[in-house]
Structures are given as C-alpha cells and as structure tokens.
Amino acid sequence: INKHLFHLDKFLPEVASGQADVEWFDPEDYPQGCPTHAREFDAMFINTTTKIHVKTLPDAGRLRFIGTGSAGFDHVDTVHLEQLGVAFSAAPGCNARSVAEYVLTAVLTIAERWGETVSSMRIGVIGAGHTGCAVQSLLESFGFSCVMFDPPREEREGQPTFHSASREELMSCDLITLHTPLTFGPSHPTFHLLDD
C-alpha cells in the first residue's frame, strides 16, 4: 500500500482479521514510481505518485488487482493492465466535497480581492461529474451563479436530463474551474481544452 493512503489497511477486512499481510511502500524510494517487487503481491493500492505502465510493471507475476485512491487515473495504463489480466479500480468522487470546499474558499477569496459580491459573479464549472456537481452545489448554496460545461455528459444523457452550456456561455464567466479527467481522445479531449 502506498504510504500516502492513510489508514487504508483499517478498511480492508482481510487485513483487520489477519487473513492478509500488508507492506507499505514510499513511492519516493522508487525513481520510476512503482515498487520493483510489485509483482510479488496479490494486490496493490496506489495514488497518483505511483506510475503504472509497461516499463514500471512489465509483467503481472502474482498481481491480480490494482486500486488507486484517486478519482483520476492518467497515471495508470489501463490497457496494459487489461493485457496483463490485472483488474483495476479508481475512486471517482472520493474527494468531491473536499475539492468543492477548496474551490469555494478560493472563489470567496478572489471575490473579496476583486471587490465583487457573491451575487454578481458567474462561475464556469467544466466537468459535471462527482466533483463538478459538488462544486456547483456548494457555490450555488453560497449564492454564486454557475454555468455547467460538459458536452460528453450531454451526449451520454441527452436533454432534458443534462444540458451543457455552450463554450461561449462558459467563456463569458468571471471564473472557470476545471474538474475533468485528462483525456486525449478524438472526441472532446480535455488536453489543451482551453489553450496550449
């Protein structure tokens, strides 16, 4: 278990009951980010400091599961894991409330510095998943107006379930906050979403 996943062992019933052993690792001890002996374990729990790809994990050995304690997983080559037969899971929404509270604090600080009132500011939220929706909900509960931008969600769910603002509406906002995964795909990539 990556040492940065505080008390994760307390949430694993197999460990608590003595049915499984745990070894903690510090990713800083491994320049490539992944323990060189990872293949000796049945499962590995990581965060974004541990990079999983063909060079860091060329073969699976005993390894059958990798879980990341983060919502994003661009640090993991999921195609490579699938080829190795290693199951993978991320933690979408795990820090949604914390991120929302951070964004609210930042927006309130900026509003004060700019001499703006809460009701006069419009905030653009890119990404309407767990985190983006938590940000919207908290900002609106404080009186901010939010514009939600998530064309892929609109395509998946369709109107009236979800309506994404236009790019023009988004760019007319006073502030923009991004809550998307890093994607490079042909449809709606988030890489270079706003500019280079």
Side-chain angles (χ1 to χ4, degrees):
I1 299 176
N2 183 306
K3 76 170 195 168
H4 300 295
L5 297 173
F6 188 68
H7 286 302
L8 179 61
D9 58 325
K10 307 278 190 275
F11 297 99
L12 300 171
E14 294 81 5
V15 175
S17 66
Q19 297 174 0
D21 295 322
V22 170
E23 181 179 310
W24 296 90
F25 71 91
D26 185 342
E28 292 179 17
D29 292 341
Y30 302 95
Q32 79 283 7
C34 180
T36 51
H37 62 297
R39 59 187 309 282
E40 298 172 15
F41 298 98
D42 298 300
M44 185 166 56
F45 296 91
I46 63 173
N47 72 359
T48 58
T49 60
T50 304
K51 310 302 182 202
I52 304 293
H53 49 74
V54 70
K55 289 182 181 174
T56 61
L57 188 69
D59 64 275
R62 288 179 47 172
L63 197 58
R64 293 292 165 254
F65 174 79
I66 295 179
T68 184
S70 59
F73 53 91
D74 54 294
H75 58 293
V76 176
D77 183 342
T78 56
V79 173
H80 175 61
L81 288 184
E82 188 175 321
Q83 291 169 346
L84 292 178
V86 177
F88 173 75
S89 184
C94 64
N95 59 357
R97 179 64 185 203
S98 299
V99 171
E101 290 171 359
Y102 172 79
V103 170
L104 172 65
T105 302
V107 171
L108 287 170
T109 300
I110 291 168
E112 183 180 12
R113 286 184 187 161
W114 289 356
E116 296 285 340
T117 63
V118 168
S119 61
S120 69
M121 293 184 72
R122 282 180 17 132
I123 313 300
V125 180
I126 299 178
H130 295 287
T131 304
C133 288
V135 168
Q136 174 195 21
S137 176
L138 196 54
L139 288 173
E140 287 180 347
S141 73
F142 271 73
F144 288 99
S145 171
C146 291
V147 172
M148 301 299 287
F149 181 79
D150 193 331
R153 180 174 172 187
E154 182 178 83
E155 285 178 9
R156 280 190 314 272
E157 297 179 15
Q159 293 184 31
T161 304
F162 180 80
H163 170 69
S164 178
S166 68
R167 192 171 182 83
E168 292 73 30
E169 288 174 286
L170 175 71
M171 298 310 288
S172 72
C173 291
D174 300 295
L175 293 172
I176 296 175
T177 180
L178 291 92
H179 305 283
T180 62
L182 179 62
T183 61
F184 299 88
S187 176
H188 306 293
T190 59
F191 183 68
H192 290 175
L193 179 65
L194 297 178
D195 62 25
D196 291 343

